[in-house]
Each structure stands twice: as C-alpha cells, then as structure tokens.
C-alpha cells in the first residue's frame, strides 16, 4: 500500500425524521406539535442552522426555526412546528 494523505470528508446526514420525501398528516385545529429532526455524523457549528432548508426555504429568523438539540455539539437539529 502506498501512503496517501488523509482527506477530511464533508459532514454526512445520518438520519432525517420524518423520512426524506415522506408526507405527514396530523389533526388540524389542535395544539399538536410536529418535530422535524436531522442527525449529523459529527458535531456541527451552530452556523449550520443558517443553511438548513424546509421545502426549499430558509427558516432562520422566522417564528419557527431549526435549533440545536445540544448546543455544545449541534450534531442533531430540530424544527418544531404547530400543527
């Protein structure tokens, strides 16, 4: 084997809940909350929140926006929305 330089790979999304492309339904007119979660393979900088999209739109600065579940590692983010 020939030694090669170590290459750092970009972050990987380990899981998305609900599954990517899934259609979800919930009762309307209730105080039901829906959580969208994304889990990464490593800690992320909190600035990643500025680049997350929901239906092709940035959520930063809106009433409902993504947040880190653990602010120290930010390896999982969640978006909680009213139903």
């Amino acid at each position: 084997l020939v030694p090669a330089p170590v290459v750092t790979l970009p972050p990987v999304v380990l899981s998305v809940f609900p599954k990517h492309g899934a259609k979800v339904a919930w009762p309307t007119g209730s105080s039901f909350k829906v959580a969208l979660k994304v889990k990464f393979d490593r800690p992320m900088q909190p600035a990643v929140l500025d680049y997350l999209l929901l239906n092709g739109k940035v959520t930063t600065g809106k009433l409902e926006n993504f947040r880190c579940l653990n602010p120290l590692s930010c390896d999982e983010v969640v978006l909680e929305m009213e139903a």
Side-chain angles (χ1 to χ4, degrees):
L1 294 174
V2 176
V6 175
V7 177
T8 303
L9 298 174
V12 174
V13 172
L14 294 177
S15 64
V16 176
F17 178 83
K19 286 186 174 186
H20 183 73
K23 292 186 179 185
V24 294
W26 51 81
T28 57
S30 67
S31 59
F32 194 75
K33 285 216 175 216
V34 178
L36 306 175
K37 292 182 184 179
V38 178
K39 184 162 179 66
F40 299 101
D41 69 334
R42 66 189 79 173
M44 304 293 289
Q45 295 289 327
V48 74
L49 301 173
D50 295 335
Y51 299 96
L52 295 172
L53 305 177
L54 175 64
N55 294 330
K57 297 182 176 114
V58 176
T59 64
T60 304
K62 307 231 167 139
L63 181 60
E64 298 164 331
N65 56 355
F66 281 97
R67 65 178 173 81
C68 299
L69 280 179
N70 179 352
L72 298 178
S73 69
C74 203
D75 62 344
E76 190 169 9
V77 297
V78 66
L79 171 66
E80 292 178 335
M81 301 183 303
E82 297 284 333

